[in-house]
Amino acid sequence: MSLVLAAPRRVLPALSGAVVVTGLALSAWHAYDPTTWLLETVWALVGLPLVVLTWRRFPLTGLLCGLLAIHALVLALGGHYTYARVPLGDWARDAFGLDRNPYDRFGHLMQGFVPAILVRELLSRTSPLRGSRWLAPLTVCACLAFSALFEMFEWAAAVIGGQAADAFLATQGDVWDTQWDMFCALIGATVSVLVLGRLHDRQLAALDR
C-alpha cells in the first residue's frame, strides 16, 4: 500500500516540473518583450529550482504542486504576450463587452488563489497554527501583503524603466489598477482558503503518514 501511495507523490512533482519547464521555454520563444517576460516569470524561474532543491527535506502536497504548476503557466502566458495582449483575454473582452483585456485581473486572482495554499502549507507545517482559527485569516493577510509588495515592485520598475515598463504594468489606462490588483488577490486568497481548505488538510494529514 505504501508503494501505491508513494508513486503518485513521485510522479506528480516530476510531471509538474516538466510541464513548467516546457511552458517557460515555449513562452520565452519569440516573447513580445524579453524584459517583460523576465519580470513576469521570475517567480517561476526562482521558485522551481527552490522546490527541487528542498524537496527531499520538505516535499509539497499534490494540491500545492498542481496549483504552482498552473500558476507558472499563467505567468508564462502573460510573460510571452504581456498581460494586456493575451489573445484569450482579447476574446473575453470582445465576447463579454469589457472595456479592457481581463487577463491581468485573472493573473492577480491567481496571485492570491495559489499563494494562499502555499502560505497555508508553510504555516501548517512549520508553526503551531495548524488547526487554529487564526490560520485562515493570517493566510489571507499574508497573501494581501505579498500583493502589496508586488505592486511596489511594479512601481519601482515604472520609476526605473519609465515608458519601457508599460507592458509590465499592464494598467491599460486604469488609474485604479493597483487597487484592483490587490482586491483581486484578496478575493483569490479568500476563495482558495474557503474552497480548498478541507482538501488541503486531508493532503497534509496524508503527507504526515
Side-chain angles (χ1 to χ4, degrees), residues 37-206:
W37 178 86
L38 179 61
L39 291 172
E40 297 290 4
T41 61
V42 64
W43 309 107
L45 294 173
V46 172
L48 180 59
L50 185 61
V51 169
V52 171
L53 289 173
T54 60
W55 186 264
R56 284 185 176 274
R57 183 166 52 90
F58 199 86
L60 306 179
T61 59
L63 175 63
L64 182 55
C65 278
L67 288 175
L68 289 174
I70 293 171
H71 196 193
L73 295 180
V74 170
L75 296 175
L77 186 60
H80 179 78
Y81 291 104
T82 78
Y83 278 76
R85 294 180 173 86
V86 173
L88 183 61
D90 286 340
W91 171 86
R93 178 197 61 206
D94 297 338
F96 299 104
L98 306 177
D99 59 357
R100 59 175 283 154
N101 185 313
Y103 191 80
D104 181 58
R105 300 281 190 250
F106 172 70
H108 283 278
L109 278 169
M110 292 294 288
Q111 189 187 71
F113 191 88
V114 175
I117 300 303
L118 173 60
V119 171
R120 194 176 189 275
E121 184 149 327
L122 291 174
L123 291 177
S124 293
R125 296 172 63 184
T126 63
S127 79
L129 287 171
R130 187 167 182 173
S132 168
R133 68 181 63 184
W134 287 102
L135 179 59
L138 289 176
T139 294
V140 173
C141 287
C143 292
L144 184 57
F146 174 76
S147 180
L149 178 64
F150 185 80
E151 294 304 320
M152 293 182 189
F153 179 57
E154 288 189 339
W155 166 67
V159 171
I160 296 171
Q163 289 186 342
D166 286 350
F168 175 55
L169 296 177
T171 59
Q172 300 182 66
D174 186 356
V175 296
W176 301 109
D177 186 70
T178 297
Q179 289 75 15
W180 271 110
D181 288 349
M182 290 189 291
F183 178 70
C184 286
L186 174 62
I187 295 300
T190 303
V191 170
S192 181
V193 168
L194 292 175
V195 173
L196 299 179
R198 290 186 178 180
L199 172 60
H200 192 214
D201 284 339
R202 289 197 296 270
Q203 293 202 5
L204 287 169

